[in-house]
Amino acid sequence: MLKAKFVQKPLMIVLGLVLAAFSTAKPSQAAVFAYQGNTTNQPIWRRTAPGNPPTLISGERDGTLGMSVPYSVFEFTVYQSGLYTFASAVPGATSPTNGDWDNFLVLYQDSFHPTKQLTNVLIASTTPNDGTLAFSRQLTAQQKYFLVTTGRRVADFGVFTNTISGSGQIVPVPESNSIPAMFVAIGVALFIRQYNYRTPI
């Protein structure tokens, strides 16, 4: 039976937040935000198929049950509209063709619910083999986004490191609960926090 839970309290370690806007000749700002998580023992969902945007849930084309896999959700917003790049890597990955497990990313806008996989979905991407994956997408300032990290197959789960980079600052939501303190030195912050997601009724 498919086990689907919307609420998670994953332990994520924010690895770095880099802001580069120190040139008087160029007023534009670039940002890099990295965090670590683990899909082991997390809630299960029947993921989407790959696509830009995806139009099928895993298994629909073949008439099978598809891939029901653990997932982890990261909610965020951006302060500047523009092009952002999303990358995910698993332990042991030195290229897209190796690593401990095969990761899969799905990006949503406005809202995410694990049993409404095709609602508000923007893009879903994976790699042909275990390792690393990346894609780019235009984002709009002040919109809510949800980056879902999951597995390509049922046996694919574990530790991952995700990186979001782009035109402006990337901020976890809710910011006040996600970031208790920030230590900034020449645009670099390093902090650790457990993310708490609100329980829906």
Side-chain angles (χ1 to χ4, degrees):
M1 177 179 288
L2 178 65
K3 177 184 176 185
K5 291 184 179 179
F6 182 50
V7 181
Q8 300 184 72
K9 292 187 179 180
L11 176 62
M12 293 185 178
I13 300 176
V14 178
L15 301 178
L17 171 62
V18 180
L19 303 177
F22 302 104
S23 171
T24 55
K26 290 184 177 181
S28 62
Q29 175 175 287
V32 177
F33 187 94
Y35 68 95
Q36 187 179 84
N38 191 339
T39 60
T40 304
N41 297 322
Q42 291 301 310
I44 303 294
W45 75 322
R46 186 177 170 192
R47 65 160 174 77
T48 69
N52 186 20
T55 57
L56 296 171
I57 298 171
S58 174
E60 279 189 335
R61 179 175 293 164
D62 304 322
T64 67
L65 293 177
M67 296 299 172
S68 295
V69 286
Y71 69 95
S72 176
V73 184
F74 178 68
E75 183 180 352
F76 69 97
T77 188
V78 297
Y79 282 173
Q80 182 175 322
S81 299
L83 186 66
Y84 289 79
T85 297
F86 299 82
S88 184
V90 302
T94 57
S95 75
T97 59
N98 61 15
D100 290 351
W101 59 285
D102 204 348
N103 41 358
F104 191 109
L105 290 181
V106 190
L107 181 65
Y108 290 82
Q109 180 178 302
D110 297 328
S111 66
F112 164 76
H113 196 285
T115 62
K116 298 177 181 179
Q117 299 93 318
L118 300 180
T119 300
N120 298 325
V121 66
L122 299 177
I123 186 171
S125 182
T126 188
T127 52
N129 296 291
D130 305 344
T132 61
L133 68 93
F135 62 83
S136 296
R137 187 79 188 191
Q138 289 284 339
L139 302 185
T140 302
Q142 306 305 320
Q143 291 279 90
K144 285 186 178 181
Y145 293 95
F146 301 80
L147 183 62
V148 180
T149 305
T150 189
R152 184 182 176 199
R153 295 155 299 200
V154 174
D156 288 324
F157 53 84
V159 174
F160 63 87
T161 300
N162 288 348
T163 304
I164 307 171
S165 58
S167 304
Q169 186 177 357
I170 301 104
V171 181
V173 176
E175 182 179 5
S176 59
N177 291 337
S178 300
I179 308 176
M182 186 179 296
F183 304 95
V184 180
I186 317 178
V188 179
L190 183 63
F191 44 90
I192 299 175
R193 174 68 173 175
Q194 179 172 355
Y195 288 79
N196 295 309
Y197 288 86
R198 187 173 59 232
T199 303
I201 297 174

